[in-house]
Every structure is written in C-alpha cells, then in structure tokens.
C-alpha cells in the first residue's frame, strides 16, 4: 500500500480521486490538465523533475508537495511571486489553474482541484511540505532547495531571493534617509527652496501636489511619484531633475552636474518618454534660476530600456551592471514602473550605487507587469491615505509651501510611506469628462461599479460610448465600429466637441488612416523628405484609433478581432490582402531587436514607396522602382522615420487589435475596448481601467455580456507576494 494514501474516511466522504494516491497518479492528472489548457507544460515538467530527483535520492516526494510545485510554477506564469496556501484555501484551489481557458472550444471537464483537495486539511499541507531536498524554510544554513516555504507561502528559490533583494535594498535606502537625510536637507534646503519657488509659480488655490512630490523626492535616495493619467508625472520629474541639478550646481562643497539616467521597461515606453520629456525640457520655465542655459542642458532627454541600461548579456539572465559593477549614475528615473516585474526590479536595485537616487514614476492602479510581481502596486498600496509622519508633514510644508492635510498625517506611518507621493489632480480629465468619471468608478470597483459605469454611459458624456452586441451580430457590429469608429454612438456623432479650448476631431476608425494613405500619397518623383512626412502622417492617423482586447483567443480576443477587421477592410477595398505583407498592414514588434533599433511594443506600417539610393552625399528617390517597406517612427521626438525591410522583421504580428497589456505605455486618441463573452482569469478592474485610460479623447466599449463587465469590476488583481508584508511590517 502506498505511504501517500490519505485517510480512508476522507476519501470515502468526498469521492476523492487517485490523483493524491501516489506521485505517478498526480503526474498523470497534471498532464491531463495541460491537455485541457488549465496548466502549462512547464508546470507539469517542474513537478515531474522534482519527483524524479526525490526518487533518485531515495526520498519520494508527497503528491501534495509536487502539486504545490506545479501550482507555484503556474502562479508565476500568472504574475504571482509565490503560491499562498492560505489564500487558496480561502478562495478555492480552482483559482490556482487558468480556468476557464481562453479557448472556448474546450468544454470537457476533468477532475477539478477543488474536488481533488476536498478533505485535505491545513495540517496535511504543512506535513506534506517537508522534504530535505526539495523545500526549506527561509535562509537555512547551507540549503539550496529549489523551493522555499515562508509560513503558508511557497516560492521557487530564485523568486524568494529576488523578493529579499528588493526588500533589503529599499529598506537600506529608507534607513539611510532616516539616519542621514537631515544633514543633506539642511545643506540643500535653501537651494531646493529657491528652485521650487522658481519652477512652480505661486498658487493660492489647492495644494500643488507636483511641487510637494518634487520636494519629497529631493530629500531622499528612494522615492515614488504615482498618479493617474493626466496628473503630470513627466512634468513633475522634469522639474524635479531641474531642482536636483540646481542644488548640485549650487553646492559650495562639490559643485557639479549630476549624472542622470532615464529608463523605461519597454522600448515603446522609452520612446514615448523620450518624446514627452524632450518637449517638457524645451518648454521648461526656469524662472529666476541662474545659468538657465547650462541648467537646461544638464537635464537629459535620452531614454533607454532597463535591459539596455543594465547591459543584457545575450543567452543569459545576467547583466553587465550588477552589485560588483554598478551603474555610473547619481540619479536614476524609471518611468512606467508598474510594468517592472520583481526580477527586473531586483536587478536594477542591485546595480544602482548606494548613494544614487532612485525615482520611480507610474500609475499604481494600472495593470501590473506581465511577469511575476506587482512591485509598484505593493509600494503604493497606502499612498491614498498618505500616512506621513508629523515631521515629514512639517518639512514638506516648509519646502513646498503647502500644509499637508491632517487626514494624511499619521504618527504610526511607516518609513516607506514617507517616500511615496500621490499626484491627486488630473489636468486631462475634468468634471465634463466621461473617460475620467468612468476610470474613477472602475478604479474604485465593487459590486455596484458595473451599474455606476452604465449610468455614466447613459448620462450624455460626449467622450464615451457603449456598444452592446448580441452573439448573432457580433462580427458585423465589431467590423462596422472598427471601420469608422462608431461616431453614431457618441453625442452629436462626435461633432463640435471642444476640450480644454481645442477642437477635437470626431472619432475615426481604421478607414481613416487607410484612406489618407491613398489620398495623400506623394508623387513618385517627390523627395525623400516628402515621402517621410507622408509616412509620419499615416502613422499619426493610425494612432487616432486602437482596438484593445482583454484576451488573445476567441471571437472577442486579439486573434479573432484581427481577422474580422482585416476581412472587413479587404471587403471595403482598403487593403489588398489579409495575409502576408501588404500596403497598410500595421504590425507590432513583439521582441526587442537592438540590431534594427526596434523595441517590444513598437508599431510600424507597411507602405509602398520608391526605392532609395545613396549617392555618397545624400539619399535620393528611384521613381521607377517601387518597393514595400515598413515605416517606424524614430521614437526620439524628431518625427523622423526608420524604414525596415519586411524580411528583416522576424518577431511582429498584425495589430488592428492588441491586448490591453501590450497597450501599456501608449495613448490613443480613440481607444476601443473589446471584452469577451465569458469570464476569464485575466479580467479584473485593473485591466478595464488600463484600457479606459489609454484613451485621450474618445473611449468606446464593445460589450457582449453585461455580467462579464460587472464581474470584472468586482475583481481586483491581488498577486501573491510577501514584499508588502516585509516593507510595511505586517
């Protein structure tokens, strides 16, 4: 009889299957879950490898331990840092798998985790999580077990190490602030006050949280500036860098300019920050600050990806810059920090010199990173309530000139609270903005959020439209909406709208950029500059509208919607084909290509242009030789175009529709969010919020089932991790 048998009475009572009778029985069940799409092959392979190693050592692993290994691996793939037994016991072990799978054709049921684990007690779990070769408590001397158990949380060791690195590196910077910052505050105080006064004009109204954020970040080596869309994060950081450079250049003891590095997690986010920060620096009013030309020149505008900054070593997970070879930086700014996963944050903190400042920017309410961890969200989980110490409040009032509201002051605040500043005013969305109101409701979530959102759509806001669809006509509705942008769904057909004093062009779909591509096409003999300007205009026109999907598969996923849109465009004669390369095909880069200078998330459009020849002095047009090339924006704010041979693009996909995850770091004039017809594990209020806030002027929601929308707004991303507990002492 197997030593792994559970009590007979429990098995009889719950009809428990043979999955827990032996390691081989469990592995067979895991393979079945892989076939159904509930589990990844990698997760089953992880459990199988550990079972084999334990068997070879003569110490067989308990099936529950192997099940936890598979669950832990699978949870990593879904963004969780660890597998939390207490959470799963409370919410149901079915949540440990990808249920329901995105592939709607899979209808067969197998033994569910809830059935398999019925009758298994917490004591059973804890007893099973004992194996000298496979799992260990945190930091036992000499242990190299592949898994770590911390209370009810189970980690793969690598991710336990990452979490500890992030915790200790941030804690060290916070401790440094508490013990040493008062000296630097006194030394730089007058220069900082002068800089803030010059950079922020006097305001007798509400608190200028941008100024408060600058003051707070200037006094410590670790800080986070978070805020929703339109709160001015880029403007704030440019003024902060100006203030820091002014303080450094004014120092009597060590007058010099700071070495400042700017980074973002993806190429798309880096390009966007590059463009926006270049414009912000050019328009920066330095007021009465001396030597303004030198000061402006000392604010960098070149942004790189974190991978490139750290020096990724091909074929490995290692980087050239690390604890032994730190970055040459006095200040590091990381934008779109919500997209930075735990591993990358650990690598970044390790490579940053101890005396350098790290400033994180991002929207705490956006979707977390695709990979494991929700670092920014955990850091900012208490940001709304402030929790500033009285001393922090007094210092900020002295330097920023605004008293901190009493409800944000807390004598029991934590050290990390003092490093976080929330920008609380949106300059993009006002009381007339349905997008802003909708985003706020979705962000709040709850059981009434769906009904409140429907009230927004019904309230006559000019910038939002709800597009309900029935299963019978879903394809035709999606095609019609994406062709022309559904102006009939907006107030007055989207005409005559003025926002912040500017006229807003009515909503448009993909017909707009394809029609413009033909109508404004230059003559064959026109110059290189004219053709580049045309390509830039086509790219800009394409950027007016973007379809976002929550899932990849199914009729309402990226794959299905892309096929539907392409078919309708071909039927309308706007594109020549739906397969291969054709003029007008928009493509999304899915992997960094440093050789081509293209980054994951970059969008280009295939265009037919005259071939070009290099004369030795300049590039000239060959009007008799037409070729297909893919135009990408240079991404440096110059408006230049990078032309690439289609045959050199190995990692691209058609992008009439993209996932909400892929849209992070981007903004579109009109964003259309397509939700699936049934619930999916990825559907949460953070995903819907992120989709809504990609829209600048128009937002439309294609909704096949109201219940899915309501359930999504009730669910919040809650990634299992121990980082918040470590940082906030819980």
């Amino acid at each position: 009889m197997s030593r792994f048998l559970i009590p007979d009475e429990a098995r009889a009572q719950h009809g428990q299957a043979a999955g827990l009778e032996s390691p081989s029985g469990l592995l067979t069940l895991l393979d079945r879950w892989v076939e159904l799409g509930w589990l990844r092959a990698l997760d089953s392979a992880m459990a199988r490898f550990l079972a084999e190693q334990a068997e070879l050592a003569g110490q067989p692993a308990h099936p529950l331990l192997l099940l936890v290994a598979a669950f832990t691996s699978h949870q990593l793939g879904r963004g969780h840092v660890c597998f939390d037994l207490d959470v799963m016991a409370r919410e149901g072990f079915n949540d440990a798998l990808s249920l329901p799978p995105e592939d709607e054709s899979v209808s067969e049921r197998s033994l569910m985790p809830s059935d398999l684990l019925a009758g298994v007690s917490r004591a059973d779990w804890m007893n099973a999580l004992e194996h000298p070769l496979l799992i260990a408590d945190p930091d036992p001397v000499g242990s190299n077990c592949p898994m770590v158990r911390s209370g009810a949380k189970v980690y793969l060791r690598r991710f336990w190490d990452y979490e500890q690195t992030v915790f200790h590196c941030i804690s060290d910077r916070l401790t440094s602030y508490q013990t040493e910052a008062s000296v630097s505050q006194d030394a730089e105080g007058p220069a900082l006050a002068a800089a803030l006064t010059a950079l922020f004009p006097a305001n007798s109204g509400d608190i200028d949280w941008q100024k408060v954020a600058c003051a707070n970040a200037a006094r410590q080596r670790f800080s986070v500036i978070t805020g929703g869309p339109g709160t001015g994060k880029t403007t704030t950081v440019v003024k902060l860098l100006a203030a820091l450079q002014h303080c450094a250049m004014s120092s009597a003891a060590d007058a010099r300019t700071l070495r400042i590095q700017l980074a973002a997690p993806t190429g798309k986010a880096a390009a966007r920050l590059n463009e926006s920060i270049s414009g912000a620096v050019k328009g920066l009013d330095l007021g009465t600050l001396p030597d303004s030309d030198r000061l402006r020149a000392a604010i960098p505008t070149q942004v790189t990806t974190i991978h490139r900054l750290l020096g990724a070593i091909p074929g490995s997970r290692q980087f050239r810059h690390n604890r032994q070879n730190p970055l040459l930086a006095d200040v590091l700014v990381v934008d779109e920090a919500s997209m930075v996963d735990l591993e990358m944050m650990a690598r970044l903190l390790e490579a940053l010199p101890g005396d350098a400042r790290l400033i994180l920017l991002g929207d705490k309410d956006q979707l977390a990173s695709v990979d494991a961890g929700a670092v920014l969200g955990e850091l900012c989980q208490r940001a709304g309530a402030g929790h500033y110490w009285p001393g922090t409040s007094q210092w900020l009032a002295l330097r920023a000139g605004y008293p901190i509201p009493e409800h944000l002051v807390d004598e029991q605040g934590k050290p990390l609270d003092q490093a976080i500043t929330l920008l609380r005013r949106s300059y993009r969305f006002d009381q007339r903005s349905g997008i802003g109101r909708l985003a706020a409701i979705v962000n709040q979530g709850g059981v009434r959020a769906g009904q409140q959102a429907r009230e927004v759509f019904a309230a006559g806001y000019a910038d939002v439209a709800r597009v309900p669809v029935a299963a019978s006509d879903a394809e035709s509705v999606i095609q019609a909406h994406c062709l022309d942008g559904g102006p009939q769904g907006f107030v007055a057909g989207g005409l005559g709208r003025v926002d912040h004093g500017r006229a807003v062009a009515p909503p448009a779909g993909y017909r707009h950029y394809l029609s413009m591509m033909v109508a404004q096409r230059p003559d064959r003999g026109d110059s290189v500059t004219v053709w580049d300007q045309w390509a830039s205009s086509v790219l800009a026109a394409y950027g007016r509208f973007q379809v976002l999907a929550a899932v990849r598969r199914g009729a309402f996923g990226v794959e299905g919607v892309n096929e539907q849109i392409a078919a309708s465009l071909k039927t309308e004669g706007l594109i020549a084909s739906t397969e291969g390369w054709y003029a007008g095909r928009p493509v999304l880069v899915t992997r960094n290509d440093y050789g081509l200078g293209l980054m994951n998330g970059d969008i280009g459009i295939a265009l037919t242009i005259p071939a070009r020849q290099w004369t030795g002095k300049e590039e000239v047009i060959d009007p008799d030789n037409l070729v297909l090339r893919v135009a990408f924006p240079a991404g440096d704010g110059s408006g230049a175009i990078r032309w690439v041979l289609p045959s050199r693009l190995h990692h691209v996909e058609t992008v009439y529709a993209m996932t909400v995850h892929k849209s992070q770091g981007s903004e579109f004039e009109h964003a259309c969010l397509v939700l699936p017809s049934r619930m999916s594990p990825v559907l949460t209020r953070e995903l819907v919020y992120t989709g809504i806030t990609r829209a600048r002027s128009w937002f439309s929601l294609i909704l096949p089932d109201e219940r899915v929308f309501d359930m999504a707004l009730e669910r919040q991303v809650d990634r299992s991790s121990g980082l918040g507990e470590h940082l906030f002492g819980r």
Side-chain angles (χ1 to χ4, degrees), residues 412-495:
Q412 304 303 314
K414 303 296 183 180
L416 179 58
D417 295 320
Q418 317 314 304
I420 314 293
T421 310
L422 172 63
L423 302 180
R424 299 167 187 265
R425 177 187 173 188
S426 175
Y427 296 87
R428 182 188 307 168
F429 303 131
D430 57 22
Q431 295 299 316
R432 297 170 299 170
S433 170
I435 295 175
R437 179 65 184 143
L438 195 60
I441 288 171
V442 169
N443 194 21
Q444 186 66 30
V447 293
R448 293 199 64 248
Q451 179 58 38
Q452 292 171 333
R454 283 187 284 277
E455 291 170 1
V456 171
F457 285 116
Y461 286 99
D463 54 348
V464 295
R466 174 174 162 272
V467 187
V469 296
S472 58
D473 63 354
E475 185 170 327
S476 61
V477 171
I478 290 174
Q479 290 179 350
H481 188 81
C482 296
L483 270 173
D484 296 305
Q488 65 277 5
F490 294 91
V491 174
L495 297 173

Side-chain angles (χ1 to χ4, degrees), residues 35-372:
E35 292 174 7
L36 293 172
W38 297 1
L39 200 67
R40 301 178 303 172
L42 175 66
D43 311 322
S44 177
M46 169 79 175
R48 188 174 301 278
F49 172 76
L50 295 181
E52 291 172 352
Q53 296 304 304
E55 191 69 34
L56 287 173
Q59 301 181 62
H62 196 293
L64 283 176
L65 176 56
L66 299 178
L67 182 64
V68 167
F71 281 166
T72 303
S73 173
H74 191 66
Q75 291 294 81
L76 279 172
R78 299 173 65 189
H80 299 274
V81 175
C82 60
F83 177 74
D84 193 322
L85 277 167
D86 285 344
V87 170
M88 285 299 158
R90 182 173 66 250
E91 299 183 0
F93 283 95
N94 291 347
D95 284 347
L97 300 183
S98 295
L99 295 171
E102 287 186 11
D103 189 349
E104 298 178 6
S105 65
V106 177
S107 58
E108 180 183 347
R109 282 179 58 89
S110 181
L111 183 69
M112 303 285 282
S114 56
D115 301 325
L116 175 70
L117 299 171
V120 178
S121 68
R122 194 177 195 279
D124 293 332
W125 282 110
M126 292 301 145
N127 290 334
L129 297 182
E130 298 284 349
H131 196 289
L133 299 179
L134 301 184
I135 191 166
D137 291 331
D139 302 324
V141 176
S143 173
N144 194 30
C145 290
M147 293 190 291
V148 174
R149 184 184 71 182
S150 177
K153 293 182 173 68
V154 179
Y155 297 77
L156 296 189
R157 175 165 292 279
R158 182 159 58 91
F159 286 87
W160 167 260
D161 291 342
Y162 293 148
E163 187 172 277
Q164 292 302 298
T165 295
V166 172
F167 165 59
H168 288 299
C169 287
I170 291 178
S171 296
D172 289 347
R173 290 176 179 277
L174 296 174
T175 302
S176 173
Y177 153 67
Q178 293 177 70
T179 58
E180 302 171 10
S182 59
V183 176
S184 63
Q185 289 166 20
D186 290 339
E188 296 182 351
L192 177 60
L196 294 177
T197 299
L199 291 165
F200 293 91
N203 176 15
S204 58
D206 296 335
I207 295 176
D208 188 338
W209 284 104
Q210 293 185 4
K211 187 175 183 182
V212 172
C214 284
N216 201 24
R219 71 187 188 131
Q220 46 200 319
R221 294 194 181 102
F222 176 79
S223 59
V224 180
I225 299 174
T226 184
T231 52
K233 295 184 288 293
T234 301
T235 300
T236 302
V237 80
V238 167
K239 291 185 177 182
L240 170 60
L241 296 179
L244 292 176
Q245 286 289 27
H246 171 73
C247 291
M249 293 162 61
S250 303
S251 172
D254 183 25
R256 63 186 181 90
T257 57
L258 298 171
R259 296 169 298 181
I260 299 174
Q261 298 271 19
L262 307 175
T266 67
K268 182 66 182 242
R272 183 173 165 230
L273 178 62
N274 197 339
E275 189 168 354
S276 59
I277 209 165
S278 296
V281 170
K282 290 177 183 177
L284 182 63
D285 183 1
L286 295 171
T288 59
L289 292 179
D291 205 0
S292 59
D293 290 341
R294 181 178 172 223
L295 181 56
R296 192 185 306 276
I299 304 173
T301 58
Q302 293 300 309
V303 186
T304 186
T305 63
I306 297 175
H307 279 82
R308 178 169 279 180
L309 174 73
L310 294 178
I313 298 175
S316 78
R317 306 183 75 94
Q318 304 304 312
F319 296 89
R320 287 189 297 105
H321 290 291
N322 48 40
R323 200 182 297 274
Q324 289 72 41
N325 180 31
L327 293 163
L328 296 176
D330 299 307
V331 180
L332 172 60
V333 176
V334 178
D335 192 26
E336 296 289 353
S338 64
M339 300 167 65
V340 182
D341 60 84
L342 180 70
E343 178 180 0
M344 189 54 63
M345 188 65 74
R347 303 291 195 187
L348 197 63
L349 285 163
E350 282 187 315
L352 193 63
D355 58 352
R357 299 176 191 266
L358 175 60
I359 302 162
L360 302 180
L361 301 178
D363 184 346
K364 65 182 179 63
D365 298 314
Q366 270 191 196
L367 275 172
S369 58
V370 174
D371 292 319

